[in-house]
Amino acid sequence: MHTILANRLLMITYIKGDLFQVKSGVLGHACNYQGVWGGGIALLFKQKFPEAYRHYQQICKEQGENLVGRCILISENQYQIACLFTNDYSTKKQILKHTEDSLLDLKRQIPPHTVVNLPKINAGIFNVEWELTEKVLERVDEDYNVYEL
């Protein structure tokens, strides 16, 4: 999918494959503020990036619910792990609002036009239809690679 915004081609590129085969860059995923990457793609992040997970746990312990709608970048190896705090255990509408806020926060933290590699965030355990999250991605002017198995 390609969308033109303000004379710039916004790219959401769908890639069949393994998100973790990306060699470097920003790897993002939606998370909670409970300090647990216990299922879905978050569990895979926990297994692949144990130092990032420990850092995430500490941030959650210190900041808790204040993380909702924010993005925390954690470095491990050659990667930047973007923890998008989208879930506050409320409605789909709120999760989508927090998704937009956290993506905008991420955008402020990375160089312009950095490609952000994501799974279909919110569509798994958070139970938000992908098409709704996709519309949020379209509103936040950045380039995304969305990985599907």
Side-chain angles (χ1 to χ4, degrees):
M1 166 188 283
H2 306 298
T3 304
I4 295 178
L5 292 176
N7 296 321
R8 178 167 129 46
L9 184 63
L10 170 67
M11 298 284 295
I12 299 175
T13 303
Y14 289 87
I15 299 171
K16 291 268 187 209
D18 184 351
L19 171 67
F20 299 109
Q21 294 302 309
V22 172
K23 299 298 179 202
S24 65
V26 177
L27 298 178
H29 71 109
C31 30
N32 62 57
Y33 60 85
Q34 300 291 346
V36 178
W37 290 348
I41 194 76
L43 180 58
L44 296 176
F45 270 87
K46 178 181 175 180
Q47 293 166 350
K48 301 237 182 236
F49 303 105
E51 291 299 319
Y53 176 67
R54 284 188 277 283
H55 189 79
Y56 157 82
Q57 283 186 305
Q58 186 61 38
I59 290 168
C60 289
K61 183 178 176 183
E62 293 168 0
Q63 298 183 38
E65 204 168 336
N66 294 325
L67 292 165
V68 176
R70 294 181 47 212
C71 175
I72 302 297
L73 279 174
I74 304 170
S75 295
E76 185 167 334
N77 301 325
Q78 71 269 27
Y79 297 98
Q80 290 283 318
I81 310 302
C83 300
L84 303 164
F85 289 90
T86 66
N87 191 358
D88 66 348
Y89 305 97
S90 62
T91 65
K92 289 180 185 182
K93 184 177 178 180
Q94 281 302 110
I95 290 172
L96 292 166
K97 170 68 172 118
H98 301 318
T99 299
E100 185 166 357
D101 292 343
S102 64
L103 287 169
L104 288 168
D105 191 29
L106 170 61
K107 184 177 173 178
R108 287 187 285 273
Q109 297 178 57
I110 59 178
H113 313 302
T114 298
V115 175
V116 178
N117 300 286
L118 301 167
K120 287 187 171 180
I121 60 173
N122 300 328
I125 293 173
F126 297 169
N127 200 31
V128 176
E129 293 81 4
W130 170 247
E131 295 74 22
L132 298 174
T133 298
E134 183 181 51
K135 288 178 183 176
V136 172
L137 293 177
E138 290 172 355
R139 287 196 301 270
V140 179
D141 184 20
E142 202 53 70
D143 293 321
Y144 302 99
N145 286 338
V146 176
Y147 283 79
E148 308 175 278
L149 292 176

